[in-house]
Amino acid sequence: MSAKKKLDSALSETPGIERPESLSQASAQSIKKHRLKKQTQEQLLQGILSGQTAALSKGITLIESKAKKHQEQAQKLIMTCLPHTVKSIRIGITGVPGVGKSTFIEQFGQLLLAQGHKVAVLAVDPSSSISHGSILGDKTRMESLVKADNAFIRPSASGDSLGGVARKTREAIVLCEAAGYDVILIETVGVGQSETAVHSMTDFFLLLKLAGAGDELQGIKRGIIEMADAIVINKADGENEKAARLAKAEFNRALHLYPEKENGWTPKTLTCSAIENKGIDAIYELIQGFTRQTQDSGAFEHNRQQQEHYWFKETISNTVLDDFYNRPEIIKEIKAQKSLLDAQKTTPFEAAFAVLNKLK
């Protein structure tokens, strides 16, 4: 059948104008070439040491990767960064959701920058246990800080880490210090056991509280209050200012119930309004006083040494656990035991021991 007769058919279509390419081939090739370009280990290291935020971000991404080849590269990067780390003060900031952590860090970070510091913020966002996704919205609440030349903000998903502290936060601190950041702020989710994990990697532990939320009664219980080096009642403004002063008095009384800290520091309670930028300077002065006191007594360095021992053991535990679950025989046995559990032919305890016996 001729072309003309085909067009005469009721099912035929008149040829239209071809849709133009939305992206030129030259641009597409350029993008592909750029993606394939990889930095060498030495280039990445030099980028971090020169303070390039892009290189620092790449380094932290490398650390957070679960791929085995990336983990090996990450360990080499950390080891080469260690000799170049600057003396820093590591500050953990925690509190329940809604207490105003991000707004507080925005104001506190601005004050630190004005004092000539380089500030790195490692903010850990909670991950969904269903989709494993994370909003990572901390940067949106730190509009001024995120634009500052001497500030670096890195939101990370907590993943499956207990209490919401990213497993690789400790290593990220090393990279930030190698990049010249002398104040490291670690913001936690503020739920579960995250406070314990943050306390084990920071020099000063700051707990943000709200007045009128029932938290005053929690002051008589051990736990988070016991670890805090300072308690700050945030949102002490407007009609809430009086309630904040009362909460401060309650927490001060509660702190007297606890024994003296090993480092000789007496925890203090302060009030502030992050949104109105009130009381932030007093918190900065308090942390300076803490640093001077603990450095003079040797407690600062002793605490760092204890933390190194803690993370030494934690790294061994995490590595052994990862290796265990990635062994082919263990994967196979876990699958078999799950089938037996589903058929109600074993118990969770018997199944667990059956898997562990594969190591013998």
Side-chain angles (χ1 to χ4, degrees), residues 257-315:
L257 299 174
Y258 296 106
E260 184 180 333
K261 284 181 174 285
E262 187 182 347
N263 59 10
W265 173 256
T266 303
K268 308 291 191 301
T269 307
L270 299 171
T271 61
C272 80
S273 170
I275 199 165
E276 293 184 359
N277 198 16
K278 293 192 306 186
I280 307 296
D281 51 350
I283 297 168
Y284 174 65
E285 289 170 10
L286 179 68
I287 295 174
Q288 282 185 309
F290 168 88
T291 306
R292 284 193 299 268
Q293 180 178 317
T294 53
Q295 284 180 342
D296 291 344
S297 67
F300 190 94
E301 189 58 35
H302 176 71
N303 182 52
R304 285 280 181 100
Q305 289 174 350
Q306 292 299 108
Q307 289 179 357
E308 294 296 328
H309 295 166
Y310 173 83
W311 285 102
F312 166 65
K313 291 174 67 176
E314 279 293 298
T315 302

Side-chain angles (χ1 to χ4, degrees), residues 17-315:
I17 300 172
E18 285 190 15
R19 184 177 178 180
E21 291 280 351
S22 58
L23 181 68
S24 71
Q25 289 300 316
S27 297
Q29 291 300 321
S30 175
I31 292 170
K32 287 179 182 179
K33 187 178 178 181
H34 178 72
R35 284 178 178 170
L36 292 172
K37 217 164 134 188
K38 291 183 180 178
Q39 282 185 306
T40 65
Q41 194 89 359
E42 181 61 28
Q43 287 174 329
L44 187 58
L45 172 64
Q46 292 306 319
I48 291 172
L49 297 182
S50 61
Q52 295 176 16
T53 54
L56 180 56
S57 294
K58 285 181 182 178
I60 295 176
T61 300
L62 184 66
I63 285 172
E64 292 176 346
S65 173
K66 292 185 178 180
K68 190 172 181 180
K69 64 175 183 178
H70 291 160
Q71 290 175 356
E72 292 172 357
Q73 293 170 3
Q75 289 308 309
K76 290 179 182 177
L77 180 64
I78 292 166
M79 292 305 296
T80 52
C81 280
L82 273 173
H84 304 282
T85 55
V86 299
K87 293 291 182 182
S88 72
I89 175 76
R90 304 166 185 170
I91 303 170
I93 300 174
T94 192
V96 295
V99 75
K101 294 187 293 293
S102 296
T103 307
F104 172 80
I105 291 173
E106 163 85 339
Q107 298 293 354
F108 187 53
Q110 292 285 357
L111 175 62
L112 291 168
L113 292 176
Q115 296 295 326
H117 294 287
K118 285 190 70 176
V119 182
V121 180
L122 301 176
V124 186
D125 247 15
S127 296
S128 167
S129 59
I130 299 172
S131 66
H132 304 290
S134 183
I135 296 174
L136 301 175
D138 296 276
K139 281 190 173 184
T140 63
R141 297 189 296 275
M142 303 180 192
E143 294 180 5
S144 300
L145 195 60
V146 76
K147 299 172 187 174
D149 293 333
N150 287 329
F152 173 77
I153 302 175
R154 171 72 182 208
S156 299
S158 61
D160 55 1
S161 303
L162 178 64
V165 178
R167 279 180 58 179
K168 300 301 182 180
T169 302
R170 178 64 181 82
E171 287 83 353
I173 291 172
V174 174
L175 264 60
C176 289
E177 290 176 343
Y181 293 93
D182 60 340
V183 179
I184 315 294
L185 305 179
I186 303 173
E187 178 195 357
T188 70
V189 178
V191 293
Q193 296 297 314
S194 60
E195 291 82 9
T196 304
V198 160
H199 188 260
S200 68
M201 65 176 77
T202 55
D203 306 307
F204 188 90
F205 189 55
L206 179 65
L207 173 63
L208 288 177
K209 286 283 190 179
L210 288 173
D215 287 345
E216 294 87 342
L217 296 176
Q218 301 302 316
I220 61 175
K221 297 181 181 179
R222 293 188 181 274
I224 179 65
I225 308 292
E226 197 171 22
M227 291 186 291
D229 295 304
I231 299 173
V232 175
I233 315 299
N234 192 23
K235 302 187 180 181
D237 46 58
E239 295 179 358
N240 203 39
E241 195 166 353
K242 183 180 178 181
R245 288 199 301 269
L246 291 173
K248 177 184 175 181
E250 290 291 336
F251 279 115
N252 272 330
R253 282 194 285 270
L255 288 172
H256 288 300
L257 299 174
Y258 296 106
E260 184 180 333
K261 284 181 174 285
E262 187 182 347
N263 59 10
W265 173 256
T266 303
K268 308 291 191 301
T269 307
L270 299 171
T271 61
C272 80
S273 170
I275 199 165
E276 293 184 359
N277 198 16
K278 293 192 306 186
I280 307 296
D281 51 350
I283 297 168
Y284 174 65
E285 289 170 10
L286 179 68
I287 295 174
Q288 282 185 309
F290 168 88
T291 306
R292 284 193 299 268
Q293 180 178 317
T294 53
Q295 284 180 342
D296 291 344
S297 67
F300 190 94
E301 189 58 35
H302 176 71
N303 182 52
R304 285 280 181 100
Q305 289 174 350
Q306 292 299 108
Q307 289 179 357
E308 294 296 328
H309 295 166
Y310 173 83
W311 285 102
F312 166 65
K313 291 174 67 176
E314 279 293 298
T315 302

Side-chain angles (χ1 to χ4, degrees), residues 5-14:
K5 285 186 177 180
K6 280 184 181 180
L7 291 175
D8 290 340
S9 168
L11 299 177
S12 66
E13 291 183 5
T14 303

